[in-house]
Amino acid sequence: MSGKPKLYYFDGRGKMESIRWLLAAAGVEFEEEFLETREQYEKLLQGGSLLFQQVPMVEIDGMRMVQTRAILSYIAAKYNLYGKDLKERALIDMYVGGTDDLMGFILMFPFLSAEDKEKQRAFIVQKATSRYFPVYEKVLKDHGQDFLVSNNFSWADVHLLEAILMVEEKKSDVLSGFPQLQAFKARISSIPTIKKFLEPGSQRKPVPDDKYVETVRRVLRMYYDIKAN
Amino acid sequence: MSGKPRLTYLNGRGRMEPVRWLLAAAGVEFEEVYLETKEQYDKLIKDGFLLFQQVPLVEIDGMKMVQTRAILSYIAGKYNLYGKDLKERALIDMYVEGIADLMQMILMFPFSPPDAKEKNLDSIKEKAINRYFPVFEKVLKQHGQDFLVGNKFSWADVQLMEAILAVEEKIPAVLSGFPQLQVFKTKMSNMPTIKKFLQPGSPRKPPPDAHYVETVLKVFKK
């Protein structure tokens, strides 16, 4: 046992990607086991390692953690990316809740029909530019600091950068009305651990493709009929 | 300003109900503002109260908190219902998130089209009996303690209690295969703050009815 956290998921983004981002941002090396077959998944189930029969699952500090939000909160707190007190944590939780909702619209995107994809793309861009990005733009403008919460790098910054890059993959000029976010993106991308994660060869996963969708459907026997928002 | 937390939501369970449960369990009195019209909701947005243009909104300790999980985590942290260290918090978070997935199905149920209701009810039953309740039955059986985590009352216990009652409203005999959960439910019901919350006249909201669904659709109409 290496002592490094071990991630159990598909070889793709999905719900695990935010966890990869956060561990990488914290400078924590991790291992991955990729689910490719139904048999692997059933073996995990039978072995009792999946508390609610679901992945993501992360083996960390002697625990088999499930539930993405629980895993992220644990990592954030352990590596001092969760603010210094309850009120800072509340702000981080609120901000992360927003970016989580936004990334949730993108999560199901690969599973949609071609027609629904266009509809969903428009929906994602509309929500990003009218509901979510303006909030973070204003937060950064109002306090003029480098980071979202109390001038300290936190989970909220990592999550927002991840969300920005994902939305940009759907519309490359989506930040054009958001100068603060453009500067934020450049700043956070140049933090050494994040810069490393953004380079080729890192454990960051590419935009999900048809092979990823086919693997998820085959392994989980789910998500055959997803509708756009 | 009374100093009490103030909850803004519809006059019904929805996403605010877990917040009512947790505040009540912690013995914290709170006020409520009920959204009844689209105009009220639009005004809240226009006045900048809703960070992401959504409710629940809880005004607490000088903050205008939104995002249900953020609100619940804050309350749990403030009132010592979040375990004693990071690992206990991790367990509580895992349990609470799992239960939230089950509660989400119940949340959406009143809004499902009539021809999907039976299928959705079967789904709730299947998930409660095969996925969620067995986990907590096993946890309680293995450690033999009264509470889910660290032998101490926590957010996880409150959330599980809420879920048990919500599922029982739909499937009355659902606990029949879960003796530990039956004992747990009785113990929780007898805790003074919870007992009070379960009595008539408390801030606890009734199951959603047609009027509630109609109000939701009216207030949040685009």
Side-chain angles (χ1 to χ4, degrees), chain A residues 51-54 61 65-67 69-70 77 86-87 89-90 93-94 97 101 130-132 135-136, chain B residues 51-54 61 65-67 69-70 78 82 86-87 89-90 93-94 97-98 101 130-132 135:
Chain A
L51 189 66
F52 300 114
Q53 305 154 4
Q54 298 164 315
D61 297 339
M65 286 199 73
V66 297
Q67 291 291 334
R69 190 58 82 87
L86 261 194
K87 281 201 169 179
R89 212 165 84 197
D93 278 341
M94 280 196 275
D101 285 346
S130 66
R131 176 169 290 187
Y132 296 103
V135 170
Y136 305 103
Chain B
L51 189 65
F52 300 113
Q53 303 153 13
Q54 297 164 318
D61 298 337
M65 286 201 74
V66 297
Q67 290 287 329
R69 253 192 217 95
K78 181 176 177 181
Y82 220 163
L86 262 196
K87 283 203 167 177
R89 211 165 86 198
D93 277 341
M94 279 193 276
E97 289 293 306
D101 286 347
N130 295 328
R131 177 169 289 187
Y132 296 105
V135 169

Side-chain angles (χ1 to χ4, degrees), chain A residues 3-5 22-23 26 28 59-63 71-82, chain B residues 86-87 89:
Chain A
K4 293 180 191 170
L22 191 57
L23 285 169
V28 178
E59 285 172 354
I60 183 169
D61 297 339
M63 298 182 287
I71 296 165
L72 288 166
S73 292
Y74 181 77
I75 295 166
K78 182 177 177 181
Y79 295 103
N80 294 310
L81 295 168
Y82 218 166
Chain B
L86 262 196
K87 283 203 167 177
R89 211 165 86 198

